[in-house]
Amino acid sequence: MKRREIELLLTGFFLGSAQVGTYFHLLLAEGGSPALYFLLILFWILGSVTGMFVFAKKRAGFIYKTLCLFFYLVTTIVCEYAEALFFSLWVTVVVLLCAYIFGMFAGWFFQNRVETYKDARLVLLHENNGFILGYATSAALLFFSSDFTNGAVFLFGLLLFLCPEPGQEIQKQ
């Protein structure tokens, strides 16, 4: 498997596990509601459109990855440890903002990689397969503990920092 295909799968896995984890945080702190789930998906999609068209700088990957991990960390802390904030507007705003940031990264990533690789089928195939695998794995991990799902998001998010942007050469020391 080529390096670009690994990056696409890894990014898809990261985004899939993040979507499960983000919704679980919303579910934990706000209660189960189909309306909340669809609201989360709406913010994810709005973020994707924003990432594709508004903040589509070539080298924004590092910033997006950092923002995703930071906002997921804030969401984890607020939703799992700040019980005084449960069922408040603040929790909803934090989780939806997290979903929006992940959506921005997803939209930017898709637009950037299709433009870079000149092959939308390749990008969609590997990124979507990774997304489905990440979604299923993280959902299964919730049967054991949300800590495992959070760990998967953070682990795969950190692994993405090891993937250099296409066109950048790894500097030899």
Side-chain angles (χ1 to χ4, degrees):
M1 190 174 266
K2 296 177 183 177
R3 187 170 66 187
R4 67 182 181 178
E5 294 163 353
I6 292 171
E7 180 204 18
L8 294 170
L9 280 169
L10 186 64
T11 301
F13 193 98
F14 172 61
L15 292 171
S17 61
Q19 194 168 97
V20 169
T22 305
Y23 180 64
F24 178 75
H25 288 134
L26 190 61
L27 179 72
L28 179 67
E30 295 293 325
S33 165
L36 284 177
Y37 177 73
F38 289 120
L39 189 61
L40 182 123
I41 298 302
L42 174 66
F43 271 77
W44 190 288
I45 291 169
L46 290 173
S48 294
V49 171
T50 304
M52 286 177 81
F53 299 111
V54 178
F55 301 110
K57 296 190 183 213
K58 288 265 186 210
R59 303 291 179 214
F62 179 81
I63 295 168
Y64 279 125
K65 293 172 198 174
T66 304
L67 283 173
C68 285
L69 289 176
F70 174 75
F71 276 98
Y72 193 80
L73 178 64
V74 169
T75 299
T76 301
I77 291 168
V78 167
C79 292
E80 293 198 26
Y81 302 109
E83 294 177 9
L85 295 176
F86 285 9
F87 299 103
S88 72
L89 180 62
W90 292 108
V91 171
T92 306
V93 168
V94 166
V95 175
L96 294 177
L97 182 61
C98 182
Y100 185 80
I101 298 295
F102 272 102
M104 284 176 59
F105 173 61
W108 171 84
F109 184 81
F110 177 75
Q111 185 270 341
N112 183 272
R113 293 311 183 262
V114 167
E115 186 178 293
T116 301
Y117 298 141
K118 308 287 188 236
D119 189 356
R121 291 184 317 159
L122 172 86
V123 174
L124 282 172
L125 174 70
H126 294 294
E127 193 274 336
N128 282 335
N129 285 341
F131 186 90
I132 292 167
L133 185 60
Y135 200 96
T137 301
S138 293
L141 289 173
L142 283 175
F143 285 106
F144 300 103
S145 173
S146 65
D147 294 337
F148 292 132
T149 298
N150 293 334
V153 173
F154 288 120
L155 173 68
F156 284 91
L158 291 172
L159 286 175
L160 281 179
F161 283 103
L162 298 176
C163 297
E165 288 295 313
Q168 284 184 345
E169 295 295 324
I170 299 174
Q171 296 178 353
K172 296 181 182 180
Q173 295 183 6

